[in-house]
Structure formats: C-alpha cells, structure tokens
Amino acid sequence: MATARLRTYRRKRDFDATPEPSGEARGGVTPGGHYFVVHLHHARSVHYDFRLQVGDTLRSWAVPKGPSLDPARKRLAVQVEDHPLDYGTFEGDIPSGQYGAGKVWIWDRGTWVPHGDPEKALKEGHLSFTLEGKRLSGDWSLIRTRLAGRQPQWLLIKARDAAARTGDGADDTPLSKWSGRRRSSRSTSRPQAKRAPARRVK
Ligand code: MN
C-alpha cells in the first residue's frame, strides 16, 4: 500500500542525487503509530512542511507561513505528495538542481491524536486532532477548502484551548526558534543557489 502512495514522491526524486530516504528502508518512525513532524525547509521560498503519520506514510502539507498558535490566523496548507515514514527523522541538504533543493530541518515532532478515523476525516476534508510536540500542542484542525489550485488547499487552524495564543505573540515561537538556525546556516545553505553565477577564481 505504501508503495502506491509513494509513487509521486519517488517519481519526483533521484535517490542517487538527493540524501532523502527512498522509503525502501524502515527507520526512525514506528509503523502503525501516530507520529508527526514539522520540517523547516529552506527551498526557493522558506516554508514549513507539516506531516502526519497515517497508516504507512506521512501525509504532508506545505505551510508557507508556518503553524500559528492564534486560532484567528488560519494558515494555508497545500497538500503535497505522501512522504515515506523514514522521512520523519530526515534532516539534510538537498543539492541544487534536485526537487526541493535546500536545507531541511526538523522544527518540531512528537505524537498526534486523531479525533475519530483519520482516513475518513481526510477524505471528508475535515480532520481534528491533538498535537503533543515540543512546540506545538493542543487541538488543531485541517480543513480542505474549495480554493483553486493544482494541489488541494487546506487551512491549518489552532483550536481555542489552553495552548492557544493570540496576537503577535502567537507567531513568536515559530519565528524566534528558527531564526538562530537560519543565521548560522546562512553561510552554508543560503548562498548555494546564488553561488553558481557569482563563482570566480580567487
Ligand atoms: Mn518542502
């Protein structure tokens, strides 16, 4: 089953060139559990990738602005191809020229608790769940919209509970936590895309 669900993931990637897992080896994430991970991805545009283990793959959404703890700040979450379970522990540098080129870090991870049957909820386009991560916790929902797009457009929304924050403070966690890594990575990852045209013998 995972093989069929991973067809798109594999088609997009050249595993001789990218350090990303092909999904053939099992590692990191226990099958049958409810693992979640949020990657910070310095691709052409910096974004977060939100992934929930459902069955034997990680269902994945690209969240341009990252999750917000403010229930009023609904975040666009574009559904992308399922990723293999062993992507759950992946961090690395996808070389330029490859799909999704740029650095990938784990920004948060933990377990999640679906409210009801997740397969059914995903089909219906309304998934409610609890996150138990280091940065993200409390209740959340993912709601599929009718916005036009090549891929399904969802909204990732924090529920009103004790883990919610409002106002600008709601986004401090995402921004402040990765700014340090962004600074330290800049010398190695950021210039890579721009290095080629600027390369000259010194
Ligand atoms: Mn990404």
Side-chain angles (χ1 to χ4, degrees):
M1 191 173 83
T3 309
R5 294 208 65 102
L6 293 175
R7 205 170 288 147
T8 306
Y9 173 87
R10 289 187 175 130
R11 195 180 60 231
K12 286 171 181 269
R13 290 168 177 82
D14 173 1
F15 296 107
D16 292 331
T18 180
E20 295 168 289
S22 68
E24 264 144 38
R26 281 262 161 93
V29 177
T30 310
H34 289 104
Y35 179 85
F36 91 90
V37 62
V38 182
H39 282 111
L40 175 60
H41 188 178
H42 278 252
R44 206 173 314 166
S45 58
V46 177
H47 61 273
Y48 296 76
D49 289 300
F50 184 79
R51 312 189 197 280
L52 298 173
Q53 179 181 9
V54 177
D56 44 15
T57 61
L58 298 173
R59 307 298 165 93
S60 298
W61 291 261
V63 185
K65 290 186 177 173
S68 177
L69 298 173
D70 187 340
R73 297 183 182 188
K74 301 173 181 176
R75 295 302 205 211
L76 177 67
V78 180
Q79 190 168 10
V80 298
E81 73 277 14
D82 284 21
H83 280 47
L85 288 188
D86 46 356
Y87 211 97
T89 53
F90 173 74
E91 290 190 306
D93 199 354
I94 302 168
S96 72
Q98 298 304 307
Y99 179 73
K103 290 211 171 183
V104 175
W105 293 282
I106 291 174
W107 179 81
D108 197 14
R109 63 175 160 188
T111 55
W112 70 289
V113 181
H115 303 171
D117 175 3
E119 297 269 12
K120 184 165 174 272
L122 285 168
K123 275 196 195 99
E124 289 170 354
H126 190 149
L127 179 69
S128 297
F129 52 96
T130 305
L131 293 179
E132 295 167 356
K134 290 206 166 66
R135 294 176 178 167
L136 301 179
S137 59
D139 291 349
W140 296 74
S141 47
L142 268 166
I143 295 167
R144 192 167 53 219
T145 71
R146 292 187 182 145
L147 294 169
R150 239 172 353 107
Q151 292 147 303
Q153 317 265 307
W154 298 63
L155 294 172
L156 176 63
I157 307 167
K158 180 76 198 74
R160 294 179 193 280
D161 60 17
R165 299 287 178 273
T166 53
D168 290 339
D171 296 332
D172 281 356
T173 308
L175 295 172
S176 64
K177 294 285 170 113
W178 63 261
S179 60
R181 295 192 93 169
R182 184 176 63 164
R183 267 195 300 276
S184 65
S185 72
R186 194 161 268 172
S187 58
T188 54
S189 78
R190 263 301 172 83
Q192 211 145 44
K194 290 171 186 157
R195 194 179 288 155
R199 187 179 287 154
R200 57 174 67 102
V201 180
K202 286 188 180 165

